[in-house]
Amino acid sequence: MLVLSRKVGETIYIGEDIEIVISEVKGEQVKIGIRAPRNIDIIRGELRQDVSASNTEAVIKSLDLFKKH
Amino acid sequence: MKIQTAYFDEVEIDQTDILKFHHGLPGFEDEREFILLPVQDNSVFQVLQSVQTAALAFIITNPYEITAEYSFVLEEATIHALQITNENEVAVFAILSLKETIAQSTVNLKAPIVLNTTNKKAKQVILNNEDYSIRHLISSESKEG
């Protein structure tokens, strides 16, 4: 993974049209601004992981529930 | 073509019915092709079966059957990825996590599957919406209804 050190107000470009701005650093929290085209999904990592965990739980183990009806 | 499935043995499917998830699903990024199969005698639920992995299948339902109030705005990213040109070609499904009973089971209203019924492109969308839960208890609705 590429790791860059940045100060508040400094930016990073990813490709031509995605700009990441470090907007505030307070204790353990970092506020990040993201400018990106509207066709790019921006999702918090833990939310995506939670959906991934939920999908894994949801894999069918048995269809017996439906056979009882 | 014929595919192996988790619960229906070998099934003959039409290539044109295959749903195409360009980036797979979160947790299953390599699973790009799925097919909808009926659950016997049950029109509310369907099986979303992986074409490539027989053991991988989900139960999905129409989220509007679970909660009539369900609504969300389709993001530009989704419209773009699925090449949606008309809202009439959009279908929405929600994935169930089956428990002992249907009432104890949960449904993922936070990350619905959006399908373009015209070109069969599909995507599990993650909503930026605090109103909906990843594990919405189905019985919480049936009590009200």
Side-chain angles (χ1 to χ4, degrees):
Chain A
M1 189 193 294
L2 172 68
V3 179
L4 302 173
S5 291
R6 303 276 66 200
K7 296 194 175 95
V8 169
E10 292 183 336
T11 66
I12 296 167
Y13 272 86
I14 300 173
E16 298 291 318
D17 47 13
I18 300 176
E19 185 187 14
I20 311 283
V21 189
I22 307 306
S23 73
E24 190 185 308
V25 179
K26 205 171 52 232
E28 290 199 331
Q29 207 161 39
V30 181
K31 276 192 183 158
I32 296 174
I34 303 163
R35 264 188 218 104
R38 291 174 63 88
N39 61 7
I40 303 266
D41 279 319
I42 300 169
I43 304 285
R44 287 180 179 84
E46 68 274 18
L47 182 54
R48 193 182 155 98
Q49 276 169 12
D50 205 0
V51 170
S52 171
S54 168
N55 282 347
T56 304
E57 285 163 32
V59 173
I60 308 173
K61 282 129 204 131
S62 153
L63 276 182
D64 292 348
L65 198 52
F66 293 101
K67 286 178 188 147
K68 286 175 200 159
H69 292 282
Chain B
M1 66 186 272
K2 287 196 170 87
I3 63 161
Q4 297 299 323
T5 71
Y7 299 96
F8 307 102
D9 299 325
E10 196 176 69
V11 171
E12 177 74 40
I13 61 166
D14 198 327
Q15 200 106 28
T16 58
D17 290 335
I18 294 176
L19 310 187
K20 297 189 166 62
F21 290 76
H22 191 61
H23 297 286
L25 303 177
F28 301 93
E29 284 77 5
D30 295 331
E31 297 286 345
R32 308 277 167 86
E33 296 190 329
F34 286 83
I35 191 95
L36 288 175
L37 299 171
V39 179
Q40 217 170 8
D41 301 332
N42 197 320
S43 59
V44 178
F45 303 104
Q46 285 178 282
V47 170
L48 183 69
Q49 167 70 51
S50 161
V51 170
Q52 119 187 357
T53 308
L56 181 62
F58 301 97
I59 290 280
I60 61 165
T61 189
N62 174 351
Y64 305 97
E65 295 274 354
I66 305 288
T67 174
E69 305 282 292
Y70 193 63
S71 82
F72 61 90
V73 175
L74 272 184
E75 299 278 344
E76 196 64 43
T78 307
I79 293 169
H80 183 263
L82 304 184
Q83 297 166 338
I84 294 165
T85 54
N86 184 327
E87 67 180 61
N88 295 330
E89 65 188 4
V90 176
V92 177
F93 303 100
I95 298 179
L96 259 77
S97 281
L98 289 181
K99 301 288 172 356
E100 295 277 304
T101 65
I102 292 286
Q104 293 171 331
S105 300
T106 62
V107 60
N108 185 346
L109 295 180
K110 179 94 171 175
I113 290 170
V114 178
L115 165 68
N116 179 338
T117 55
T118 308
N119 60 19
K120 308 289 182 193
K121 286 176 190 270
K123 176 177 166 180
Q124 187 173 20
V125 172
I126 301 176
L127 303 179
N128 276 318
N129 183 332
E130 296 304 318
D131 296 346
Y132 299 119
S133 155
I134 291 180
R135 295 175 185 82
H136 177 96
L137 198 61
I138 291 182
S139 63
S140 64
E141 294 294 328
S142 52
K143 274 175 202 157
E144 290 164 23

